[in-house]
Amino acid sequence: MRAVLCTALVVAALAAAPTPAPALDPVRILLVGDSVTQGSSGDWTWRYRLWRHFADAGVPVDFVGPRDDLWRLPEGGGGEATYADPDFDRDHAARWGMWALFPDVPFDALVATYQPDVVVEALGVNDLLYGVDAAEVSAAIAARVLEARAARPDVAVVLTEPSQHWFPGVLELNTRLADIASDLTTATSPVVVARAADGYDAEEDTWDGSHPNARGEVRIAAAVADALHALGVGPAAARPLVVPPVGPQVPATVTATAGDQQATVSWTGGPGASAQVLWGRDVTLDQPWTSLPLPVAATGTWTGRSLVNGHLYAYRLQPMKGDDLPDGEVYSAPAWVVPSEPPSDPPDPPGPPDPPAPQPGVVTSPPDRPTRLRAFVVGGRCVGLRWRAVTGATSYVVEVRTRSGWSRPVPTTTTRWQSPRLRAARTWRFRVRAVRDGTSGAPATLSVRRARSAGPCR
């Protein structure tokens, strides 16, 4: 009887207990894109910002795809894992340089393999930069939508605008994306556009005039979050947007070696740094910190000369990515050094002494002047330059003449540079220097006449 009573009480309790809500399956999202989506050494990426948006909102999502890496800078190539914060779902299907016309993996194969509920596509700008017209690029993007739908008829699609609206053809492509979304939307497979170009600024939101810095990542992620919200996935992005600090946040590691009236500073840059600003001070004279006029390499060696023996000197480095200096006090720990005279040498052995072995990384002569400097694109507010590589150069710096003199040098590790937004002028004047281990050579100069086109480039 007692057993029967206990059993009856358990059954009654179970019947009275509320039914727990079923756990929601995560929304599977496939992110397909180029360098803007993949990101590079030291980045958070806009993928991270989007994942944080869903995590903070308590919306379960599962990013899917064949990759989980960043692009390695400055060497190039995939497989990099130096995220600013790796603690998120890093799966994706993006690669630096990918075209809409030639995706790495056909969209039908990607969708069949990873079974996403939503495909977020962010391609097209590389096609445009290599001369494909916007009509052909938009046709390719429409074909990618149909390929995805062939593998899963109910897949939803987000078409993400290229954020670089100052590049030729991007404004037209972005207009065409809206037409694609309208034409291809069905009752079971909606297509929407993420307005990533709205309010996006070349100077404030990129580190090189093309790729997003931390601010740009937040803006792109917000645009994609709004588009996913339109599909019923998660909330829209909260506004005003919270703007994070930009620039590399990991300082270099630095050492210094004393010599006779000189000091050699060696450093290894942190992830994401494409250059460094070298600062120094004479501690004995209580001098303030001063920096070299030009950036030095991300990783390298530099020798300061004409120092006072017996004085204490300090050196530190501040990382840069493209033209972005870090917000906040991001400096290496100081390296301390006291130059001194060498001890007296013993008498030389008979015969001429051997020449001293060169010190690795110490510059004995500046690199040559760049040759064949020319403009490959000219617009109303935009100029692209290229030049022939200089033997032994580790990087280059580009300066623009302004009303008050030459601008702050902008470093680059390639032989191409493009300014997305120049001041209004009939003619711009540029100079380009090669840099080797922190020493710059003579500049090559070029004057470029503004194009009559009202657009940013032609």
Side-chain angles (χ1 to χ4, degrees):
M1 177 66 69
R2 189 172 185 179
V4 173
L5 179 58
C6 289
T7 301
L9 290 173
V10 170
V11 171
L14 291 174
T19 303
L24 295 175
D25 290 333
V27 179
R28 297 173 64 82
I29 301 176
L30 174 67
L31 307 175
V32 189
D34 51 29
S35 55
V36 170
T37 301
Q38 184 181 18
S40 60
S41 305
D43 285 349
W44 281 270
T45 74
W46 71 257
R47 297 182 281 113
Y48 168 85
R49 311 289 181 182
L50 182 64
W51 184 86
R52 286 273 10 138
H53 164 77
F54 286 121
D56 293 344
V59 177
V61 297
D62 181 12
F63 290 173
V64 297
R67 311 182 68 117
D68 63 359
D69 63 337
L70 297 163
W71 191 255
R72 182 177 297 110
L73 291 181
E75 302 91 341
E80 183 78 345
T82 55
Y83 286 90
D85 183 354
D87 187 18
F88 75 108
D89 187 345
R90 300 187 297 273
D91 295 334
H92 65 87
R95 180 186 56 79
W96 200 276
M98 198 192 306
W99 289 31
L101 269 70
F102 308 111
D104 288 1
V105 181
F107 272 44
D108 52 355
L110 278 173
V111 172
T113 300
Y114 295 100
Q115 288 297 305
D117 301 301
V118 185
V119 173
V120 178
E121 178 274 347
L123 292 168
V125 72
N126 289 310
D127 309 66
L128 295 171
L129 290 177
Y130 280 88
V132 183
D133 64 60
E136 187 175 354
V137 178
S138 62
I141 290 172
R144 303 293 84 82
V145 175
L146 297 177
E147 288 173 3
R149 191 174 285 166
R152 181 168 177 174
D154 63 345
V155 70
V157 179
V158 173
L159 303 179
T160 307
E161 292 179 341
S163 56
Q164 308 99 318
H165 52 83
W166 50 89
F167 286 162
V170 171
L171 290 176
E172 181 183 351
L173 174 61
N174 288 348
T175 299
R176 289 176 176 271
L177 292 182
D179 296 334
I180 294 172
S182 176
D183 293 343
L184 295 187
T185 287
T186 69
T188 58
S189 178
V191 182
V192 297
V193 176
R195 304 290 184 182
D198 287 356
Y200 201 86
D201 185 84
E203 182 175 345
E204 294 294 320
D205 299 328
T206 76
W207 56 265
D208 64 349
S210 181
H211 300 97
N213 58 21
R215 279 191 298 257
E217 292 170 358
V218 168
R219 295 191 186 281
I220 295 171
V224 175
D226 290 347
L228 290 168
H229 173 66
L231 295 173
V233 182
R239 286 180 171 77
L241 299 177
V242 177
V243 178
V246 303
Q249 299 297 306
V250 179
T253 55
V254 188
T255 60
T257 304
D260 184 11
Q261 296 185 324
Q262 67 180 35
T264 297
V265 183
S266 301
W267 64 92
T268 301
S274 61
Q276 305 277 347
V277 178
L278 178 62
W279 297 78
R281 64 185 293 253
D282 186 327
V283 180
T284 301
L285 296 181
D286 197 25
Q287 291 178 341
W289 288 101
T290 58
S291 66
L292 291 182
L294 295 176
V296 295
T299 295
T301 302
W302 172 88
T303 297
R305 307 181 191 279
S306 301
L307 305 181
V308 179
N309 285 340
H311 279 210
L312 174 64
Y313 292 86
Y315 295 95
R316 68 183 185 184
L317 287 122
Q318 182 183 27
M320 298 179 66
K321 185 163 188 175
D323 57 7
D324 275 353
L325 285 168
D327 289 337
E329 296 289 315
V330 182
Y331 295 98
S332 69
W336 310 88
V337 64
V338 178
S340 60
E341 294 183 11
S344 300
D345 294 329
D348 290 334
D354 294 332
Q359 299 182 44
V362 176
V363 177
T364 56
S365 62
D368 294 336
R369 183 199 316 268
T371 59
R372 299 192 65 185
L373 174 62
R374 59 195 185 277
F376 69 88
V377 62
V378 181
R381 297 287 295 275
C382 174
V383 171
L385 304 177
R386 60 185 171 197
W387 55 90
R388 179 170 289 176
V390 175
T391 301
T394 53
S395 62
Y396 303 88
V397 291
V398 182
E399 298 167 277
V400 185
R401 187 71 181 180
T402 67
R403 295 184 182 91
S404 58
W406 290 100
S407 67
R408 185 180 74 185
V410 178
T412 176
T413 56
T414 71
T415 57
R416 292 167 64 99
W417 174 87
Q418 184 159 319
S419 174
R421 190 175 64 185
L422 293 165
R423 63 178 178 84
R426 288 186 179 181
T427 302
W428 299 291
R429 187 162 180 79
F430 302 90
R431 65 185 185 188
V432 179
R433 302 173 187 266
V435 179
R436 183 170 59 220
D437 296 328
T439 299
S440 62
T445 58
L446 179 69
S447 294
V448 180
R449 182 176 292 274
R450 177 181 182 271
R452 293 181 180 179
S453 166
C457 284
R458 68 179 185 187

